[in-house]
Amino acid sequence: MTPTDLRSALESELLSSGVLEDVTAHFRHLLIQQLASSDDSSPLSAERLKLNLTDIATRSLVLDYLQAEHLDKTASVFVPDAGLSNRILSPDDAMRALGLDPLPPGSSASSARSALATLLQASTCSSLASASPATPPPLLKASTQTTP
């Protein structure tokens, strides 16, 4: 096997197994960390320091969605970029942190559906069910004051 053939076979194996994307994501994370640590006034380092519980909970739900949709490579890039490296919440904990009731068993991770998708579907269904076909959705009310 020639060096060119070996290189081509190795490249195709790394691509098909997903290792190449994982290594790329890891290098991207290291680069971002290096940039953030070399300049303390950078937006990335300031943002990571300012993550509150609501930010962490929201980003954890987005991560749960990415994982439920089998977007593992996207999730591997999202975690360091979102500043979640050591602070990932479970879907139930994230929902509690946002002031929402945790989903009943079987409605999220155990049914291969993300908590975020389930929550959005429930919200959409309840808002559609509460709207009566005879009554259009409320619009902004016109001001009762008149201007000369």
Side-chain angles (χ1 to χ4, degrees), residues 57-80 84-85 87-92 94 108-117:
T58 304
R59 293 170 187 201
S60 293
L61 287 176
V62 170
L63 176 62
D64 176 55
Y65 171 79
L66 293 172
Q67 291 170 337
E69 295 296 319
H70 305 289
L71 300 169
D72 299 325
K73 292 170 185 62
T74 304
S76 70
V77 172
F78 177 75
V79 169
L84 290 179
S85 297
R87 311 184 251 186
I88 299 170
L89 300 176
S90 72
D92 286 345
S108 67
S110 60
S111 65
R113 234 179 135 185
S114 74
L116 184 60

Side-chain angles (χ1 to χ4, degrees), residues 19 59 141:
V19 171
R59 293 170 187 201
K141 295 182 180 180

Side-chain angles (χ1 to χ4, degrees), residues 15 22 25 28 45 70 86 90 92 100 105 114 124:
L15 277 172
D22 292 343
R28 184 180 297 121
S45 62
H70 305 289
N86 301 348
S90 72
D92 286 345
L100 302 169
S114 74
T124 303

Side-chain angles (χ1 to χ4, degrees), residues 38-59:
S38 67
D39 181 15
D40 289 336
S41 65
S42 75
L44 289 174
S45 62
E47 178 184 343
R48 287 208 176 116
L49 295 175
K50 292 181 183 179
L51 285 182
N52 59 34
L53 186 57
T54 302
D55 294 333
I56 294 168
T58 304
R59 293 170 187 201

Side-chain angles (χ1 to χ4, degrees), residues 5 32 41 45 53 73 80 95 102 126 137 147:
D5 293 339
I32 289 171
S41 65
S45 62
L53 186 57
K73 292 170 185 62
M95 291 183 68
S126 68
T147 56

